[in-house]
Amino acid sequence: AQSVTQLDSHVSVSEGTPVLLRCNYSSSYSPSLFWYVQHPNKGLQLLLKYTSAATLVKGINGFEAEFKKSETSFHLTKPSAHMSDAAEYFCVVSEYTGGFKTIFGAGTRLFVKA
Amino acid sequence: DGGITQSPKYLFRKEGQNVTLSCEQNLNHDAMYWYRQDPGQGLRLIYYSQIVNDFQKGDIAEGYSVSREKKESFPLTVTSAQKNPTAFYLCASSIASGQGVQPQHFGDGTRLSIL
């Protein structure tokens, strides 16, 4: 059965320091994995996606994520946080096995301190 | 520019009233989706449509209805049967999932509140 666990509901970093947002998943098949970002009162914007190609995926705004099958993880990282990165981040697992199924994590709110 | 337009941005519903949320896309996407977002929770799928004149229930379809008469449009009706409709509603679209699982493009949402 599919599931997504975002291990932290809130993460706080200082501007210029690294960001790590953690995501574990379970899936019965080979899933596609995504990270989305949501700013207040806005829709979600795609940051990056993994679809069984390279395990290190680079996304927009300097974010990247590494797919680790042995650990069933897909953590999101950024070397240096910017104030504009403050938002909510969602890890998403999708698979199509004759029927569409997508599960969203509960979200991690990122705070960036000046 | 291509994108998804949701209207209105804010909507108020009286008890016993049906309301319809609009979602229009000009991305030429076959698949469209409706999600509900509550504080502290991820998005939950209400309905989705892979093609015109066809749609399927998601995880929380009770109290909602949809139609897909045009490729560009996927309106959601929140009926009086939905007892807790206060939420942020998001519409999304994608290339048809049958061609591989695709990322979704989202509108900016409609916030529905009960008077």
Side-chain angles (χ1 to χ4, degrees):
Chain A
Q2 268 184 328
S3 70
V4 179
T5 302
Q6 292 185 240
L7 297 167
D8 306 291
S9 59
H10 299 86
V11 170
S12 182
V13 301
S14 296
E15 191 174 23
T17 64
V19 175
L20 170 64
L21 305 182
R22 299 182 295 165
C23 174
N24 286 354
Y25 72 93
S26 68
S27 176
S28 303
Y29 300 92
S30 297
S32 293
L33 297 164
F34 307 85
W35 276 99
Y36 289 85
V37 61
Q38 184 181 33
H39 292 276
N41 295 311
K42 292 289 188 180
L44 279 66
Q45 179 186 15
L46 180 69
L47 280 177
L48 50 82
K49 65 177 180 179
Y50 166 79
T51 53
S52 74
T55 57
L56 182 62
V57 182
K58 293 189 182 299
I60 62 171
N61 301 336
F63 284 95
E64 62 182 37
E66 186 172 8
F67 174 71
K68 292 186 176 180
K69 187 174 182 178
S70 60
E71 299 176 10
T72 60
S73 69
F74 191 57
H75 301 334
L76 182 70
T77 61
K78 182 173 181 177
S80 176
H82 190 273
M83 295 297 289
S84 61
D85 294 327
E88 186 132 24
Y89 292 80
F90 292 94
C91 181
V92 180
V93 58
S94 287
E95 58 189 19
Y96 192 82
T97 55
F100 166 79
K101 191 65 177 178
T102 288
I103 300 292
F104 286 76
T108 297
R109 182 161 295 278
L110 176 65
F111 297 94
V112 182
K113 298 174 291 186
Chain B
D1 288 337
I4 298 181
T5 301
Q6 290 188 242
S7 62
K9 191 168 181 65
Y10 298 95
L11 187 58
F12 299 91
R13 193 191 89 169
K14 295 180 181 178
E15 294 287 344
Q17 187 180 48
N18 293 353
V19 292
T20 297
L21 284 59
S22 171
C23 178
E24 304 278 333
Q25 56 101 358
N26 60 4
L27 298 166
N28 200 33
H29 285 166
D30 288 307
M32 296 187 75
Y33 316 86
W34 273 106
Y35 293 94
R36 171 180 171 136
Q37 185 176 26
D38 294 284
Q41 298 187 37
L43 277 64
R44 293 183 290 168
L45 183 65
I46 304 172
Y47 269 97
Y48 68 100
S49 168
Q50 301 285 350
I51 197 169
V52 174
N53 293 323
D54 188 44
F55 48 83
Q56 286 78 42
K57 293 182 179 180
D59 299 318
I60 56 165
E62 185 174 352
Y64 301 97
S65 66
V66 293
S67 62
R68 186 86 187 277
E69 297 177 1
K70 299 187 300 182
K71 186 175 184 178
E72 302 81 17
S73 179
F74 192 41
L76 173 74
T77 297
V78 183
T79 75
S80 57
Q82 171 49 242
K83 297 307 179 188
N84 184 24
T86 297
F88 191 49
Y89 291 87
L90 287 162
C91 179
S93 71
S94 72
I95 298 170
S97 293
Q99 301 172 18
V101 180
Q102 301 293 337
Q104 296 176 28
H105 297 254
F106 285 82
D108 280 342
T110 292
R111 190 166 297 281
L112 176 62
S113 302
I114 298 299
L115 288 178

